[in-house]
Amino acid sequence: ANHSICGLEKARGNPNVGPATVFISWGLLSTLVSLLDALDRCAADGRLDPEAFIWVCDSSIRQHERLPSQKAAKMRDVGRLGEMVEQCSYTLLFNDVWDRTVKRSETDTVSCLSRIWCVYEVFSTVRAGNELVMMFPEAERRRFLEALVEDGSAAQDALALVDVETAESFDPADKERIMGEVEEVGGAAKVNEVVIAALHDALVKVAIQAAEDDVASGVALRTALYLRDLGRLGEARAL
């Protein structure tokens, strides 16, 4: 039989498998252990319902490719990614290297935002009217906040490089398919604008939470300036 891991477990009657309510977007550039650690922290912080069913590509998409029929089934699953994003209530973006959005060398460590599937999934989240939530490893969350305090334009500089046209894919056919859909919805410039705005919104929420947790820190001031630069003056004044 050709099943995904979740499909196999569902057939076995596993009660921990059900219709997904939270979509996980990640670039397959980090370990599954680090993803699970970040999910545990999200649940501990109250940003993830411990009873939620999460959609993770590795376990939800059929992975067999030995036979032509198996490869075709996998491609059908991949083709439904946008639909799955829309069916979930919100998207958790696992961003383990927050500011390295483009690959500068073959050995460079980059974030999920260098991958075209993740850019596409962020766009699909916005198109569905769902919330995008940034999920960092704790060390990376601290690094983002430190960068924000040191340089108020750090987030804008990093996200300005996000580009669906230069984003990479493990399979060239995937990029071709996504770029075809990008043209149908108005082109790369429009998609980039929507995606970057959603990413700023998600980063701002991380900064606001940190500022509220420690109002005496420099994070509050820099977050206010970040909001001001994004044109969100009312929220900036509230801090």
Side-chain angles (χ1 to χ4, degrees):
N2 183 18
H3 294 292
S4 66
I5 294 173
C6 284
L8 182 61
E9 289 301 314
K10 182 179 180 181
R12 290 172 173 171
N14 189 331
N16 296 310
V17 177
T21 55
V22 179
F23 187 92
I24 304 298
S25 180
W26 69 314
L28 301 175
L29 300 169
S30 51
T31 66
L32 187 59
V33 170
S34 63
L35 172 63
L36 294 175
D37 285 345
L39 287 169
D40 283 342
R41 192 168 63 81
C42 272
D45 291 346
R47 291 179 293 146
L48 176 66
D49 182 352
E51 301 300 317
F53 289 100
I54 62 173
W55 196 100
V56 180
C57 58
D58 302 70
S59 57
S60 301
I61 291 176
R62 287 171 280 192
Q63 300 295 325
H64 302 288
E65 295 186 87
R66 186 170 58 87
L67 300 176
S69 60
Q70 294 174 331
K71 186 170 184 178
K74 178 179 179 179
M75 295 314 297
R76 285 196 298 273
D77 287 353
V78 170
R80 295 182 60 233
L81 271 175
E83 177 186 339
M84 292 309 305
V85 172
E86 293 173 6
Q87 287 182 7
C88 290
S89 57
Y90 64 96
T91 295
L92 278 173
L93 178 66
F94 180 50
N95 194 350
D96 54 346
V97 192
W98 81 270
D99 56 342
R100 297 175 196 161
T101 53
V102 294
K103 197 171 187 178
R104 297 177 176 85
S105 70
E106 288 303 314
T107 58
D108 197 16
T109 301
V110 290
S111 78
C112 61
L113 297 174
S114 70
R115 311 303 303 176
I116 195 168
W117 273 116
C118 290
V119 176
Y120 172 77
E121 288 158 5
V122 171
F123 180 76
S124 297
T125 299
V126 177
R127 183 168 56 178
N130 294 344
E131 182 183 8
L132 178 71
V133 178
M134 193 72 71
M135 181 170 66
F136 289 131
E138 178 56 24
E140 196 63 16
R141 186 187 74 90
R142 291 196 300 268
R143 195 172 76 83
F144 160 65
L145 295 172
E146 288 167 1
L148 184 65
V149 170
E150 292 175 8
D151 180 1
S153 65
Q156 290 164 303
D157 291 344
L159 296 186
L161 299 176
V162 174
D163 186 350
V164 68
E165 286 190 295
T166 60
E168 299 179 342
S169 171
F170 295 118
D171 186 345
D174 287 342
K175 181 160 186 175
E176 183 178 351
R177 179 167 55 250
I178 291 172
M179 289 308 300
E181 187 167 339
V182 165
E183 290 306 313
E184 291 177 3
V185 298
K190 177 182 177 181
V191 168
N192 289 341
E193 181 182 2
V194 169
V195 168
I196 290 171
L199 293 170
H200 276 305
D201 187 60
L203 279 179
V204 160
K205 290 173 183 174
V206 174
I208 288 175
Q209 183 62 58
E212 291 176 346
D213 290 343
D214 186 0
V215 294
S217 72
V219 174
L221 174 59
R222 283 301 187 179
T223 301
L225 294 175
Y226 183 17
L227 286 164
R228 182 203 63 186
D229 292 343
L230 294 176
R232 298 162 62 169
L233 298 179
E235 293 171 86
R237 294 190 185 98
L239 287 176

mmCIF file of all heavy atoms in Angstrom, residues 179-203:
data_model
loop_
_atom_site.group_PDB
_atom_site.id
_atom_site.type_symbol
_atom_site.label_atom_id
_atom_site.label_comp_id
_atom_site.label_asym_id
_atom_site.label_seq_id
_atom_site.Cartn_x
_atom_site.Cartn_y
_atom_site.Cartn_z
ATOM 1 N N MET A 179 5.638 29.042 -9.851
ATOM 2 C CA MET A 179 5.753 30.301 -10.589
ATOM 3 C C MET A 179 4.603 30.463 -11.575
ATOM 4 O O MET A 179 4.160 31.586 -11.856
ATOM 5 C CB MET A 179 7.095 30.371 -11.316
ATOM 6 C CG MET A 179 8.283 30.565 -10.393
ATOM 7 S SD MET A 179 8.118 31.969 -9.244
ATOM 8 C CE MET A 179 7.956 33.346 -10.402
ATOM 9 N N GLY A 180 4.075 29.351 -12.088
ATOM 10 C CA GLY A 180 2.886 29.429 -12.936
ATOM 11 C C GLY A 180 1.696 29.976 -12.171
ATOM 12 O O GLY A 180 0.942 30.815 -12.680
ATOM 13 N N GLU A 181 1.550 29.532 -10.924
ATOM 14 C CA GLU A 181 0.448 30.030 -10.093
ATOM 15 C C GLU A 181 0.694 31.483 -9.684
ATOM 16 O O GLU A 181 -0.253 32.273 -9.590
ATOM 17 C CB GLU A 181 0.294 29.156 -8.852
ATOM 18 C CG GLU A 181 -0.930 29.499 -8.031
ATOM 19 C CD GLU A 181 -1.261 28.463 -6.989
ATOM 20 O OE1 GLU A 181 -0.826 27.305 -7.131
ATOM 21 O OE2 GLU A 181 -1.963 28.805 -6.019
ATOM 22 N N VAL A 182 1.959 31.835 -9.455
ATOM 23 C CA VAL A 182 2.305 33.219 -9.113
ATOM 24 C C VAL A 182 1.856 34.163 -10.227
ATOM 25 O O VAL A 182 1.291 35.242 -9.962
ATOM 26 C CB VAL A 182 3.828 33.350 -8.868
ATOM 27 C CG1 VAL A 182 4.258 34.814 -8.868
ATOM 28 C CG2 VAL A 182 4.207 32.690 -7.544
ATOM 29 N N GLU A 183 2.089 33.781 -11.464
ATOM 30 C CA GLU A 183 1.672 34.620 -12.592
ATOM 31 C C GLU A 183 0.152 34.749 -12.637
ATOM 32 O O GLU A 183 -0.386 35.809 -12.971
ATOM 33 C CB GLU A 183 2.204 34.038 -13.903
ATOM 34 C CG GLU A 183 3.706 34.156 -14.059
ATOM 35 C CD GLU A 183 4.204 35.586 -13.892
ATOM 36 O OE1 GLU A 183 3.596 36.494 -14.500
ATOM 37 O OE2 GLU A 183 5.168 35.801 -13.139
ATOM 38 N N GLU A 184 -0.549 33.692 -12.275
ATOM 39 C CA GLU A 184 -2.018 33.713 -12.305
ATOM 40 C C GLU A 184 -2.602 34.681 -11.278
ATOM 41 O O GLU A 184 -3.686 35.227 -11.492
ATOM 42 C CB GLU A 184 -2.566 32.303 -12.059
ATOM 43 C CG GLU A 184 -2.308 31.329 -13.203
ATOM 44 C CD GLU A 184 -2.810 29.935 -12.877
ATOM 45 O OE1 GLU A 184 -3.409 29.747 -11.784
ATOM 46 O OE2 GLU A 184 -2.604 29.026 -13.701
ATOM 47 N N VAL A 185 -1.896 34.894 -10.167
ATOM 48 C CA VAL A 185 -2.433 35.758 -9.103
ATOM 49 C C VAL A 185 -1.882 37.181 -9.173
ATOM 50 O O VAL A 185 -2.124 37.979 -8.260
ATOM 51 C CB VAL A 185 -2.169 35.157 -7.705
ATOM 52 C CG1 VAL A 185 -2.859 33.813 -7.562
ATOM 53 C CG2 VAL A 185 -0.669 35.030 -7.435
ATOM 54 N N GLY A 186 -1.135 37.503 -10.210
ATOM 55 C CA GLY A 186 -0.693 38.894 -10.363
ATOM 56 C C GLY A 186 0.787 39.112 -10.489
ATOM 57 O O GLY A 186 1.248 40.251 -10.601
ATOM 58 N N GLY A 187 1.585 38.037 -10.424
ATOM 59 C CA GLY A 187 3.010 38.168 -10.630
ATOM 60 C C GLY A 187 3.838 38.196 -9.357
ATOM 61 O O GLY A 187 3.314 38.314 -8.244
ATOM 62 N N ALA A 188 5.163 38.091 -9.535
ATOM 63 C CA ALA A 188 6.084 37.977 -8.414
ATOM 64 C C ALA A 188 6.080 39.212 -7.516
ATOM 65 O O ALA A 188 6.150 39.100 -6.291
ATOM 66 C CB ALA A 188 7.493 37.706 -8.932
ATOM 67 N N ALA A 189 5.995 40.405 -8.113
ATOM 68 C CA ALA A 189 6.032 41.626 -7.304
ATOM 69 C C ALA A 189 4.869 41.666 -6.318
ATOM 70 O O ALA A 189 5.039 42.035 -5.148
ATOM 71 C CB ALA A 189 6.011 42.857 -8.205
ATOM 72 N N LYS A 190 3.699 41.271 -6.769
ATOM 73 C CA LYS A 190 2.529 41.265 -5.889
ATOM 74 C C LYS A 190 2.687 40.230 -4.783
ATOM 75 O O LYS A 190 2.410 40.505 -3.608
ATOM 76 C CB LYS A 190 1.264 40.979 -6.691
ATOM 77 C CG LYS A 190 0.012 40.882 -5.827
ATOM 78 C CD LYS A 190 -1.232 40.559 -6.628
ATOM 79 C CE LYS A 190 -2.444 40.388 -5.723
ATOM 80 N NZ LYS A 190 -3.664 40.052 -6.497
ATOM 81 N N VAL A 191 3.128 39.032 -5.161
ATOM 82 C CA VAL A 191 3.305 37.971 -4.175
ATOM 83 C C VAL A 191 4.345 38.382 -3.136
ATOM 84 O O VAL A 191 4.149 38.209 -1.928
ATOM 85 C CB VAL A 191 3.704 36.647 -4.866
ATOM 86 C CG1 VAL A 191 4.166 35.618 -3.835
ATOM 87 C CG2 VAL A 191 2.533 36.101 -5.668
ATOM 88 N N ASN A 192 5.452 38.951 -3.588
ATOM 89 C CA ASN A 192 6.494 39.395 -2.657
ATOM 90 C C ASN A 192 5.964 40.441 -1.683
ATOM 91 O O ASN A 192 6.259 40.398 -0.480
ATOM 92 C CB ASN A 192 7.681 39.970 -3.433
ATOM 93 C CG ASN A 192 8.473 38.907 -4.167
ATOM 94 O OD1 ASN A 192 8.380 37.720 -3.853
ATOM 95 N ND2 ASN A 192 9.244 39.323 -5.148
ATOM 96 N N GLU A 193 5.184 41.383 -2.186
ATOM 97 C CA GLU A 193 4.620 42.425 -1.328
ATOM 98 C C GLU A 193 3.733 41.835 -0.236
ATOM 99 O O GLU A 193 3.833 42.203 0.940
ATOM 100 C CB GLU A 193 3.823 43.405 -2.174
ATOM 101 C CG GLU A 193 3.204 44.554 -1.383
ATOM 102 C CD GLU A 193 2.380 45.496 -2.246
ATOM 103 O OE1 GLU A 193 2.251 45.245 -3.461
ATOM 104 O OE2 GLU A 193 1.861 46.487 -1.696
ATOM 105 N N VAL A 194 2.885 40.901 -0.629
ATOM 106 C CA VAL A 194 1.972 40.260 0.326
ATOM 107 C C VAL A 194 2.748 39.447 1.357
ATOM 108 O O VAL A 194 2.490 39.516 2.567
ATOM 109 C CB VAL A 194 0.968 39.362 -0.423
ATOM 110 C CG1 VAL A 194 0.187 38.478 0.541
ATOM 111 C CG2 VAL A 194 0.013 40.211 -1.252
ATOM 112 N N VAL A 195 3.716 38.686 0.892
ATOM 113 C CA VAL A 195 4.497 37.814 1.774
ATOM 114 C C VAL A 195 5.327 38.635 2.760
ATOM 115 O O VAL A 195 5.342 38.348 3.962
ATOM 116 C CB VAL A 195 5.400 36.885 0.939
ATOM 117 C CG1 VAL A 195 6.435 36.185 1.821
ATOM 118 C CG2 VAL A 195 4.551 35.846 0.211
ATOM 119 N N ILE A 196 6.016 39.649 2.276
ATOM 120 C CA ILE A 196 6.865 40.464 3.157
ATOM 121 C C ILE A 196 6.030 41.183 4.210
ATOM 122 O O ILE A 196 6.422 41.264 5.384
ATOM 123 C CB ILE A 196 7.704 41.450 2.319
ATOM 124 C CG1 ILE A 196 8.765 40.678 1.517
ATOM 125 C CG2 ILE A 196 8.368 42.499 3.211
ATOM 126 C CD1 ILE A 196 9.507 41.523 0.503
ATOM 127 N N ALA A 197 4.865 41.683 3.826
ATOM 128 C CA ALA A 197 3.982 42.339 4.800
ATOM 129 C C ALA A 197 3.544 41.350 5.884
ATOM 130 O O ALA A 197 3.510 41.698 7.080
ATOM 131 C CB ALA A 197 2.763 42.923 4.094
ATOM 132 N N ALA A 198 3.216 40.128 5.494
ATOM 133 C CA ALA A 198 2.801 39.109 6.465
ATOM 134 C C ALA A 198 3.948 38.733 7.392
ATOM 135 O O ALA A 198 3.749 38.519 8.605
ATOM 136 C CB ALA A 198 2.289 37.871 5.736
ATOM 137 N N LEU A 199 5.151 38.666 6.854
ATOM 138 C CA LEU A 199 6.315 38.341 7.669
ATOM 139 C C LEU A 199 6.614 39.447 8.674
ATOM 140 O O LEU A 199 6.951 39.174 9.838
ATOM 141 C CB LEU A 199 7.525 38.094 6.771
ATOM 142 C CG LEU A 199 7.447 36.841 5.889
ATOM 143 C CD1 LEU A 199 8.571 36.833 4.874
ATOM 144 C CD2 LEU A 199 7.490 35.568 6.743
ATOM 145 N N HIS A 200 6.500 40.702 8.245
ATOM 146 C CA HIS A 200 6.683 41.812 9.182
ATOM 147 C C HIS A 200 5.655 41.734 10.303
ATOM 148 O O HIS A 200 5.989 41.941 11.484
ATOM 149 C CB HIS A 200 6.551 43.146 8.458
ATOM 150 C CG HIS A 200 7.818 43.609 7.793
ATOM 151 N ND1 HIS A 200 9.005 43.752 8.480
ATOM 152 C CD2 HIS A 200 8.082 43.965 6.504
ATOM 153 C CE1 HIS A 200 9.949 44.176 7.657
ATOM 154 N NE2 HIS A 200 9.420 44.313 6.456
ATOM 155 N N ASP A 201 4.424 41.441 9.953
ATOM 156 C CA ASP A 201 3.375 41.357 10.966
ATOM 157 C C ASP A 201 3.691 40.269 11.986
ATOM 158 O O ASP A 201 3.518 40.469 13.198
ATOM 159 C CB ASP A 201 2.032 41.078 10.293
ATOM 160 C CG ASP A 201 0.874 41.139 11.274
ATOM 161 O OD1 ASP A 201 0.670 42.196 11.888
ATOM 162 O OD2 ASP A 201 0.182 40.113 11.440
ATOM 163 N N ALA A 202 4.189 39.132 11.494
ATOM 164 C CA ALA A 202 4.521 38.029 12.400
ATOM 165 C C ALA A 202 5.719 38.379 13.287
ATOM 166 O O ALA A 202 5.738 38.053 14.483
ATOM 167 C CB ALA A 202 4.813 36.767 11.586
ATOM 168 N N LEU A 203 6.723 39.055 12.715
ATOM 169 C CA LEU A 203 7.880 39.457 13.511
ATOM 170 C C LEU A 203 7.515 40.515 14.550
ATOM 171 O O LEU A 203 8.003 40.486 15.687
ATOM 172 C CB LEU A 203 8.981 39.997 12.599
ATOM 173 C CG LEU A 203 9.869 38.980 11.884
ATOM 174 C CD1 LEU A 203 10.887 39.698 11.010
ATOM 175 C CD2 LEU A 203 10.574 38.059 12.868
#
